[in-house]
Amino acid sequence: MTSLGEDRPDAPPAPGPVQGLGVELNGLNTIHESERKGHARDLFWPWFGANVSVFGLSYGSFLLGFGISFWQATIVGVAGIVISFLLCGFIALAGKRGSAPTMVLSRAIFGVDGNRLPSFLSWLLTVGWETVLTSLAVLATATVFTQLGWEGGVATQVVALIVVAALIIAGGVIGFNLIMRMQMIITIVTGVLTVVYIVLVLGHIDLGAVAALPAGDTPHVIGGFVFMLTGFGLGWVNAAADYSRYLPRSTRSSGVVGWTTFGSSLAPIVLLIFGILLAGSSKELNTAIAADPIGALASLLPPWFLVPFVIVAVLGLVGGAVLDIYSSGLALLSVGLKVPRYVAAGIDGIIMTAGAVYVVFFAGNFLGPFQGFLITLGVPIAAWCGIFVADIQLRKRDYAEKELYDRRGRYGSVRWVPISLVVIGTVVGWGLVTNTFAPWLAWQGYLLGPIGGKEGDWAFANLGVLVALLIGYLGTLIFSRAAIRREEER
């Protein structure tokens, strides 16, 4: 007979409540009843703080890069933001129902050992986002320093990297309580300063130039929509239950979905629309954003506001990266690393810093690696998301918590149907996307031949993300319904 410790090697007895700002001891374990607290509205702060970055303005330029008009960009942008974060809201329900991290709850679908595959994908995605946000903060600081006439070269970039990385790693290591407090402060400061930024650059908007932007055809509109899905909510779905897991079970489900969606969507919608107006007013600005998004936006400001702008830019990016490093540490534990949560967060911080060094000091262009990263990982994550959302829809009861850590329990060791759906969704999805942004991804798009090939009208619609999402969702509804019913009857 196997002992309980061997059945649950990564789920030690739940520690006592974390008081103050001490290092959080919770890892993959189920949150103890004494630590479940708060209200659904508390989810507003971490999600708003993680998405209020002025980087959101840059998405206006990215969207117009698909060759679409102002109204097309606005409609697909708002739809992409809201729909993608609504998926996060649905997955956040699992956190309330199971009181465990997202990548532990995913074991109910893939099996205790089979879940290592989506956990690894989740880890890659969150570490990638940490690297992107850290790199942007460093680039923005150096650019603004240069505009002020100060030293903005390598020395400034190194110091900025050290400071930004230290803030992010500290939040990830100390954990939930510090993150919730940081996000409230970041929300207030960045919210106020972002409004000031918008007021100061209003004069740069040329409504005539914006109105003259030509409309794009259907493939380009769909491509812009998919890019917004991957750039916003699909980058967070794998972490959506990590914060709702602290809520009491009595919390209203509609509140969990609503506050998650509202908190995460509000700032990006406002920033996106204003960013479209800015980028559509100036071809020069539109081009500059691809190389250094936040630095280009800073070029519009009067000198006296440049220092506050650095503060708002860095804080906004840190807000997103802190949530990412917290969740990436949990994902790394779920992959199988046997260390405390705070050690895993520290390891991810080192990897994040190394990646930021490459982007800041060696990559010649920011937009290329960024878009290649989003689309490539967006496909398998979309398949996983479709599976998870369908599973939540089919599941009528709360999770059997102890069996999430027992490979001999009702969820088993490896469940091949969902794993096959991820693999099929990824293979088909990668065949229907193109990645000219990074030469090493040129092999993608191998299924585009019947609809015009890699140079045809549909080549940049990135249909593979939507197809992967549908394969995961519909495949689960069709093939997993009976298995879930049998589980819940036990």
Side-chain angles (χ1 to χ4, degrees):
M1 187 71 169
T2 308
S3 71
L4 181 62
E6 291 171 329
D7 279 344
R8 304 178 62 192
D10 51 5
V18 181
Q19 303 294 337
L21 295 182
V23 174
E24 180 189 1
L25 300 180
N26 288 315
L28 298 185
N29 56 278
T30 301
I31 301 303
H32 192 270
E33 287 290 343
S34 62
E35 293 184 75
R36 296 173 190 165
K37 57 188 178 182
H39 306 86
R41 63 178 178 269
D42 296 331
L43 294 172
F44 175 85
W45 299 108
W47 288 110
F48 187 91
N51 291 284
V52 72
S53 167
V54 292
F55 179 49
L57 293 166
S58 303
Y59 277 87
S61 172
F62 301 158
L63 258 187
L64 293 181
F66 285 88
I68 56 180
S69 69
F70 167 76
W71 287 112
Q72 287 175 325
T74 300
I75 292 170
V76 301
V78 172
I81 289 170
V82 173
I83 292 173
S84 64
F85 281 123
L86 186 60
L87 295 174
C88 290
F90 288 139
I91 293 175
L93 280 179
K96 186 204 74 164
R97 292 168 65 177
S99 301
T102 313
M103 283 300 137
V104 170
L105 300 171
S106 182
R107 293 174 175 179
I109 306 169
F110 293 87
V112 175
D113 296 312
N115 192 61
R116 296 180 194 274
L117 171 62
S119 294
F120 179 70
L121 293 173
S122 174
W123 177 76
L124 283 178
L125 183 65
T126 46
V127 168
W129 267 111
E130 294 160 28
T131 302
V132 166
L133 297 175
T134 303
S135 303
L136 281 171
V138 174
L139 290 170
T141 302
T143 301
V144 171
F145 272 44
T146 300
Q147 292 175 2
L148 286 168
W150 302 344
E151 168 59 41
V154 174
T156 297
Q157 292 174 333
V158 170
V159 173
L161 179 59
I162 293 172
V163 173
V164 170
L167 286 173
I168 296 169
I169 294 172
V173 167
I174 294 177
F176 182 83
N177 283 346
L178 176 60
I179 288 174
M180 295 297 281
R181 296 190 188 187
M182 286 178 67
Q183 296 300 74
M184 184 177 294
I185 295 171
I186 288 171
T187 295
I188 295 170
V189 174
T190 54
V192 171
L193 292 180
T194 299
V195 171
V196 175
Y197 175 89
I198 290 175
V199 171
L200 289 174
V201 301
L202 272 175
H204 292 274
I205 293 177
D206 182 347
L207 294 179
V210 173
L213 292 170
D217 55 16
T218 301
H220 292 92
V221 172
I222 293 176
F225 173 69
V226 173
F227 179 74
M228 296 303 291
L229 289 178
T230 56
F232 285 94
L234 281 182
W236 288 108
V237 288
N238 56 308
D242 292 352
Y243 304 92
S244 56
R245 79 191 203 273
Y246 275 90
L247 291 174
R249 297 288 177 81
S250 59
T251 307
R252 290 182 60 184
S253 296
S254 60
V256 174
V257 176
W259 282 106
T260 299
T261 306
F262 176 65
S264 51
S265 299
L266 179 60
I269 288 174
V270 175
L271 293 170
L272 171 73
I273 294 173
F274 193 76
I276 296 171
L277 291 170
L278 277 178
S281 301
S282 169
K283 292 183 178 179
E284 293 76 15
L285 177 64
N286 205 355
T287 301
I289 286 175
D292 182 3
I294 296 181
L297 295 169
S299 66
L300 306 176
L301 291 169
W304 64 267
F305 192 70
L306 287 175
V307 171
F309 178 79
V310 169
I311 294 173
V312 67
V314 171
L315 282 180
L317 295 166
V318 166
V322 164
L323 260 66
D324 277 318
I325 195 171
Y326 181 78
S327 293
S328 71
L330 293 172
L332 188 57
L333 295 180
S334 191
V335 171
L337 186 66
K338 307 301 183 188
V339 297
R341 183 206 58 80
Y342 51 87
V343 174
I347 292 171
D348 285 346
I350 295 172
I351 297 172
M352 171 196 76
T353 305
V357 168
Y358 168 76
V359 174
V360 171
F361 298 105
F362 299 101
N365 179 280
F366 167 79
L367 185 56
F370 177 60
Q371 288 187 312
F373 156 71
L374 281 185
I375 297 301
T376 300
L377 280 183
V379 169
I381 288 296
W384 173 87
C385 178
I387 293 168
F388 205 117
V389 170
D391 184 84
I392 292 173
Q393 181 179 334
L394 293 173
R395 202 172 291 278
K396 307 303 181 185
R397 300 182 182 180
D398 290 343
Y399 298 92
E401 294 175 355
K402 293 182 179 180
E403 295 184 56
L404 290 169
Y405 307 93
D406 184 357
R407 60 181 55 87
R408 298 179 307 170
R410 72 182 66 189
Y411 303 124
S413 176
V414 179
R415 304 185 69 171
W416 292 108
V417 170
I419 289 176
S420 299
L421 290 173
V422 169
V423 172
I424 293 170
T426 301
V427 171
V428 175
W430 279 342
L432 294 173
V433 300
T434 53
N435 246 315
T436 58
F437 315 109
W440 57 278
L441 296 173
W443 53 270
Q444 295 176 353
Y446 44 80
L447 296 178
L448 288 168
I451 53 175
K454 295 184 179 182
E455 303 299 327
D457 289 340
W458 289 96
F460 300 99
N462 293 317
L463 292 173
V465 175
L466 294 178
V467 171
L469 182 67
L470 287 174
I471 287 175
Y473 179 75
L474 296 176
T476 301
L477 290 182
I478 295 169
F479 298 112
S480 296
R481 185 182 301 271
I484 292 173
R485 187 186 305 116
R486 287 194 299 271
E487 282 176 17
E488 296 191 330
E489 288 174 350
R490 292 182 59 178

